[in-house]
């Protein structure tokens, strides 16, 4: 228990600073005009300032300042010690975090184009990789003792991995408190895994993420008075991705490399289903729609708090499963993963996450190609055409279905 006291101090420091600086972040956002106004896709019904990532980032910084003080004056163990399999330059990681945070901050302020935002994420991930945070060789249980060697491919693969992990938190950030709560649950789970693995650097970062997320959640849970914005979502996603590379994917074999993916399964499924849904509707993959998990839950009749708590519970069960996976043999581990995957996909299918909610429509009056949703009259026409062309539509999207008749009332 004595060994956990420093981590408890880091957690409290991150939580306290995030809690105390969130009002400051809100004031900065209002003065900068970084405010989300209600629209057809957003859930909020009144203007809400973003840039809450300022408080989240300061909370993580506070945790490491606390660690430095503890190491210098109270003989705490040094945490910035890489795994024997890694040669990490932690100053390069600091630069990577600064790049990802300021990329999100500028986007909150000026709304960067998707390409510019992606470029910032790639640069941040490249700094991390250049600092030694690389996936590298993976032990393979088939046959025992073998290795999967990525060679030079480890560098681009790690960049893609970090960028993907960064974005899954950003994409799930659609309801009050959703991204913050999921990040806190994931952070605490990764903390346990990191402690079990003896990876002090990963444990310190993950507990800082958890504390900072929970401190911010005081103002972000429904009804939210501030959103984390991209400055928060990108920072949290990048931090969790970095933790998974520092620890979780390093102490296990091929089968347990999926552990960080299980922990983040809810936003991963949401992102995957969005891609499938938009491809089926022949819309751009990056085109936003109202088909995400939180939108579906709201359409099912849940209010914001109920929908968020349900997704917390889903994430919590997945995290418990990931903890169990690391403590059992290979075959039970695979079985647990398959059960978690099938249960999650069944829930996703129940919520109709893969059904298109946007279809193309040619407007004869304007001569323009428009995107229409179920609330538009033209959606029925396009749905019928899609059905006649051999693309089977779900019953609720077919013209004349009960749901369509209710939608016109």
């Amino acid at each position: 228990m004595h060994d956990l006291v420093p981590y408890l101090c880091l957690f409290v420091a991150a939580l306290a600073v995030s809690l105390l600086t969130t009002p400051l972040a809100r004031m900065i956002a209002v003065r900068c005009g970084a405010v989300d106004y209600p629209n057809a896709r957003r859930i909020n019904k009144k203007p809400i300032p973003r840039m809450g990532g300022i408080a989240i980032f300061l909370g993580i910084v506070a945790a490491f300042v606390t660690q430095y003080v503890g190491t210098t004056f109270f003989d705490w163990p040094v945490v910035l010690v890489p795994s024997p399999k890694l040669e990490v330059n932690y100053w390069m990681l600091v630069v990577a975090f600064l790049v990802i945070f300021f990329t999100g901050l500028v986007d909150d302020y000026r709304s960067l184009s998707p390409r510019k935002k992606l470029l910032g994420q790639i640069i941040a991930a490249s700094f991390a990789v250049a600092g030694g945070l690389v996936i590298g060789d993976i032990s393979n249980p088939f046959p025992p003792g073998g290795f999967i060697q990525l060679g030079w491919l480890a560098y681009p693969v790690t960049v893609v991995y970090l960028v993907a992990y960064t974005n899954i938190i950003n994409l799930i950030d659609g309801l009050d408190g959703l991204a913050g709560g999921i990040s806190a649950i994931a952070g605490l789970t990764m903390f346990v895994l990191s402690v079990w693995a003896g990876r002090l650097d990963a444990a310190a970062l993950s507990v800082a993420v958890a504390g900072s997320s929970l401190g911010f959640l005081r103002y972000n849970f429904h009804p939210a008075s501030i959103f984390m914005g991209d400055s928060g979502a990108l920072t949290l996603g990048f931090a969790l991705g970095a933790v998974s590379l520092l620890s979780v994917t390093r102490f296990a074999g091929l089968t347990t490399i999926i552990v960080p993916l299980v922990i983040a399964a809810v936003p991963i499924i949401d992102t995957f289903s969005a891609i499938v849904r938009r491809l089926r509707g022949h819309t751009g993959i990056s085109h936003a729609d109202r088909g995400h998990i939180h939108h579906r839950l709201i359409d099912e009749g849940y209010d914001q708090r109920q929908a968020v708590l349900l997704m917390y519970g889903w994430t919590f069960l997945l995290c418990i499963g990931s903890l169990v996976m690391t403590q059992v043999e290979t075959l039970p581990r695979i079985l647990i993963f398959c059960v978690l995957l099938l249960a999650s996909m069944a829930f996703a299918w129940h919520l109709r996450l893969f059904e298109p909610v946007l279809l193309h429509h040619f407007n004869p009056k304007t001569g323009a190609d428009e995107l229409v949703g179920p609330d538009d009259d033209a959606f029925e026409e396009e749905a019928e055409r899609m059905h006649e062309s051999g693309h089977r539509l779900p019953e609720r999207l077919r013209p004349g279905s009960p749901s369509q008749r209710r939608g016109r009332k």
Side-chain angles (χ1 to χ4, degrees), residues 61 87 108 153 177 182 223 226 232 268 280 316 344:
V61 171
E87 294 182 3
D108 287 341
L153 286 175
I182 286 180
I226 184 172
I268 288 174
R280 291 185 63 195
F316 179 77
S344 294

Side-chain angles (χ1 to χ4, degrees), residues 248-259:
V248 178
T249 63
R250 283 296 178 168
F251 74 98
L254 177 62
T255 52
T256 53
I257 196 173
I258 59 178
V259 165

Side-chain angles (χ1 to χ4, degrees), residues 155-167:
Y155 298 99
V157 166
T158 306
V159 169
V160 171
Y161 176 87
L162 279 173
V163 170
Y165 222 109
T166 297
N167 278 287

Side-chain angles (χ1 to χ4, degrees), residues 93 124-134 154-156 158-159 162:
L93 284 186
S126 298
F127 270 111
V129 170
L133 196 65
V134 184
Y155 298 99
T158 306
V159 169
L162 279 173

Side-chain angles (χ1 to χ4, degrees), residues 89 91-97 99-100 120-133 159 162 238:
N89 183 329
W91 285 113
M92 292 289 280
L93 284 186
V94 169
V95 173
F97 270 93
V99 171
I100 199 67
Q121 296 168 17
I122 292 173
I123 292 173
S126 298
F127 270 111
V129 170
L133 196 65
V159 169
L162 279 173
F238 190 83

Side-chain angles (χ1 to χ4, degrees), residues 23 32-33 39 68 102 162 167 186 209 250 263 287 342 351 358 361 379:
C32 292
N39 61 29
Y68 174 78
F102 280 105
L162 279 173
N167 278 287
V209 166
R250 283 296 178 168
I263 293 172
H287 197 99
L342 291 175
L351 292 177
L358 289 176
H361 170 69
F379 187 82

